[in-house]
Structure formats: structure tokens, C-alpha cells
Amino acid sequence: MKWIDFTQPTTVDEAVGLLSENKGRARVMAGGTDLIVQLRGAPERLGNPDLIVDVKGIPELNELSYSGGSGLTLGAAVPCYKIYQNAEIAEAYPGFIDSAALIGGIQIQGRASIGGNLCNGTPSADSIPALIAHNVTCNIAGPNGTRSVTVEDFCTGPSKTVLEPDEILVSLSFPAPPDNFGARYVRFTPRNEMDIAVAGAGVSVTLQNGNISSARVALASVAPTPLLVKEISESLAGQPANEATINEAGKLAREAASPITDMRGTIEYRKHLCDVLTRRALQAAITRAQGGSIDA
């Protein structure tokens, strides 16, 4: 068994310094619910690291603050349970809570973080379509300072992200939800077999005078990365929030998906799910934008 060192920095600069010193042989741990499994089962996927950098003790990565004017700042290491147990955040971002409450069971949610789920970079990640729907910005720190990346550009391939080996994701910035805004995340999964989405859809809409003034739709598990369907945003802008518009969005989601066939589903089945899930999520998001509630 290979020896792996473990360290717990208390500042962002210290963490970045450790990553830089180890030149790609270090890996960051937020909750560890993915990392530890991979270290035990397939460490070569992580490059057989020599050092694990536990960032749970860094204040910036544990920030959880919300203001109706400026929005939500979510530290990359904040565990899921702290998010959905925060009544103010749950009321402001119910569409994001949809996904945060889905990631694993109760024990996993005590450790797992949204930042870690994002950095794992899997196409089936439940949090990422909801983050895309909420137009989130990723705040990154490295040896050359800080930079920001839109969340739809963060993942670059299966288990790959824009992060350099000596960079860490510090936090996620959510804009304040505007008036008449609604969002929803839904997925389909064969739960008896595995808790991984066959397909998922994260949707947000803003309404104005009964019409959709803006919309964002992101799909999970049907492309090499979580997929923002820009064609839907363009098609829905200015359209009435009715069944015909919703059906058109489902059709566009089906056309945009480029899934593979695997043990969880065929290409055709996943495309069908993109249509169905997009329509369901969009209808629920519209209901929320109109001030209604849904059975989540």
C-alpha cells in the first residue's frame, strides 16, 4: 500500500502553496465522499497522489451567506445539510435545494459539498444542472491570484474541469433571484440499482406579464459534460408560459442531448427522458415563479 501524506491548511494561500509545491501530485479533499472511494478503488484515476489537502478548515471555503440584494455566497466545502437546513436559503432558492437534498443519503450529506460535487466533474452530477440554471459563477484561487468562471464552462470533459493542478475552487456566487423567478431540478434514476441519474434537468425561468422573459435549461448525464441548452433560452424568450412553449422546450432538449448507451439506459431512452424531464421541470419552475408551490 502506498504512503500518502495528509495536511489541513487553514488559509487559501497555504492550500495553494501546498498544491504548487507538489506539482500535480496533490489532491484537494472537501468532504471526501468521492475522493476516498477513488483512492481506495482506482487511485490511478487521481494520478496516484502523494498528498491529500483537506480544505474543510479554511474559512472562505465554509462561507454560507445570503442577502436579498447581492445573492448567495456558498463556500466550496459547505456540506449539503447546512444548505437545505438554512430556512432563508431554502426559501430563496428552492430549485437549488431540489438538487442539494438529492446528493447521497443523510450520512453522505453530512460531509459532501456542492463544491466537491462540481469539482468531481461527472456528467451525471445532480448539483451542476441546478447551478447552471441559477447562473452561478465559480470563484477560483491559484498562485497567480483569483479568477472567475461561469459554471457552465467549469467542466471540460468527464471528470475534468478548468482547474489547474495548483488551483482550488473557493466559492460559488449565486445572483439574487429576481421577481417572478422560479427554478426546479428533476432527475430519473433506477434507485434500486444505483443512485446515479439516467438523465436530469435543471431549469429556471423569469416571467413578465405572463410571458417567459428569460429561461435556462441544463441537462445531466446526456453529454460529456453537464449541458446548457442555449437553444431553449433563445426559443423561450418572450414566449407565453403555456403548454405549447413547454412542449417546444422538451423537443429542443431531446435534440440537444448527445448521450451514450450504457447499463443505465440507451441513447433513445435518455433522449426521451430529456424531453419529459425538461417539460416537468419547466412546468414546476413556472408554478414557482407564479408564487405557487409544488410537491418536491
Side-chain angles (χ1 to χ4, degrees):
M1 180 179 293
K2 177 182 176 179
W3 180 271
I4 301 176
D5 289 320
F6 178 85
T7 186
Q8 295 177 296
T10 57
T11 68
V12 170
D13 287 345
E14 185 183 357
V16 169
L18 288 164
L19 295 175
S20 297
E21 291 169 11
N22 284 273
K23 303 183 185 302
R25 302 292 292 178
R27 291 294 178 269
V28 173
M29 184 175 81
T33 56
D34 285 313
L35 181 71
I36 292 174
V37 173
Q38 292 171 6
L39 284 172
R40 293 180 64 184
E44 65 279 0
R45 290 181 55 191
L46 301 171
N48 289 304
D50 299 321
L51 176 68
I52 300 301
V53 182
D54 183 355
V55 296
K56 269 265 195 261
I58 300 176
E60 292 92 331
L61 275 74
N62 286 285
E63 182 177 358
L64 184 63
S65 60
Y66 170 69
S67 165
S70 57
L72 170 65
T73 298
L74 173 63
V78 174
C80 291
Y81 83 94
K82 286 189 177 181
I83 302 167
Y84 63 73
Q85 287 187 0
N86 186 305
E88 189 176 31
I89 293 173
E91 181 178 359
Y93 299 96
F96 173 51
I97 299 302
D98 291 338
S99 65
L102 277 177
I103 298 174
I106 294 297
Q107 295 89 343
I108 294 295
Q109 291 170 356
R111 289 287 302 180
S113 68
I114 297 298
N117 195 239
L118 174 60
C119 290
N120 203 38
T122 58
S124 60
D126 286 314
S127 72
I128 305 178
L131 295 176
I132 294 173
H134 284 82
N135 201 21
V136 165
T137 299
C138 307
N139 305 308
I140 298 166
N144 297 319
T146 60
R147 64 187 179 109
S148 296
V149 176
T150 58
V151 71
E152 59 264 31
D153 294 326
F154 188 85
C155 297
T156 58
S159 300
K160 296 180 180 179
T161 72
V162 297
L163 289 177
E164 298 294 337
D166 52 5
E167 289 184 319
I168 62 171
L169 175 66
V170 175
S171 63
L172 302 169
S173 297
F174 291 66
D179 293 339
N180 305 314
F181 174 88
R184 177 75 165 124
Y185 175 72
V186 295
R187 70 175 184 178
F188 177 80
T189 177
R191 184 169 290 275
N192 289 337
E193 301 172 18
M194 60 183 73
D195 192 23
I196 302 175
V198 179
V203 170
S204 68
V205 295
T206 303
L207 303 182
Q208 185 175 19
N209 300 322
N211 291 334
I212 298 173
S213 59
S214 64
R216 288 171 70 88
V217 174
L219 303 174
S221 211
V222 293
T225 65
L227 178 66
L228 171 64
V229 187
K230 296 180 180 179
E231 296 86 349
I232 295 180
S233 300
E234 297 167 358
S235 175
L236 266 59
Q239 297 300 310
N242 59 21
E243 184 177 358
T245 299
I246 292 171
N247 289 340
E248 177 63 18
K251 177 183 176 182
L252 291 172
R254 180 189 181 101
E255 293 172 352
S258 56
I260 61 172
T261 293
D262 62 14
M263 64 180 295
R264 287 178 286 145
T266 64
I267 290 173
E268 184 59 29
Y269 184 46
R270 281 189 158 112
K271 280 181 166 287
H272 170 71
L273 284 172
C274 288
D275 181 357
V276 173
L277 295 177
T278 295
R279 287 188 282 112
R280 290 179 181 176
L282 189 54
Q283 182 59 70
I286 290 170
T287 297
R288 281 174 167 167
Q290 293 170 335
S293 60
I294 63 169
D295 182 5

